[in-house]
Amino acid sequence: YTTAEAAREHCEAYERRANPDVALDWIEDEEDGVAELVAAVGEEEHSTGYVVTALEVASKYDPDADE
C-alpha cells in the first residue's frame, strides 16, 4: 500500500471478518513507526497479530543513493 491508512484499513477488514463485534485500536511505537492492531472484548485487550510498518521507498533510481 502507498499509505499507512490503506494498510490499516485492510488489516481491520480482515480482523472484522473473524470478530465483527470487537473494538479495534492501533498502538503505534513513536520511535520506529510500527503500528500494532489490538482488539478489545470488554476490558481485555489482546494483539491481533496485524502490524503496519512504514517503509521509505524511492520513486526513481538514484545511482548516488545509499544501497
Side-chain angles (χ1 to χ4, degrees):
Y1 298 98
T2 58
T3 66
E5 291 79 21
R8 289 179 182 196
E9 185 177 330
H10 186 177
C11 295
E12 290 175 17
Y14 266 80
E15 184 60 26
R16 291 225 183 267
R17 287 182 189 175
N19 301 302
D21 298 326
V22 299
L24 300 175
D25 191 24
W26 289 95
I27 298 173
E28 187 169 347
D29 184 318
E30 292 180 17
E31 285 187 29
D32 60 12
V34 174
E36 178 182 11
L37 181 62
V38 294
V41 178
E43 296 294 319
E44 290 189 39
E45 194 171 80
H46 68 276
S47 176
T48 62
Y50 293 108
V51 295
V52 172
T53 304
L55 302 174
E56 188 173 323
V57 179
S59 61
K60 62 181 181 175
Y61 175 66
D62 181 357
D64 298 322
D66 290 338
E67 292 186 30

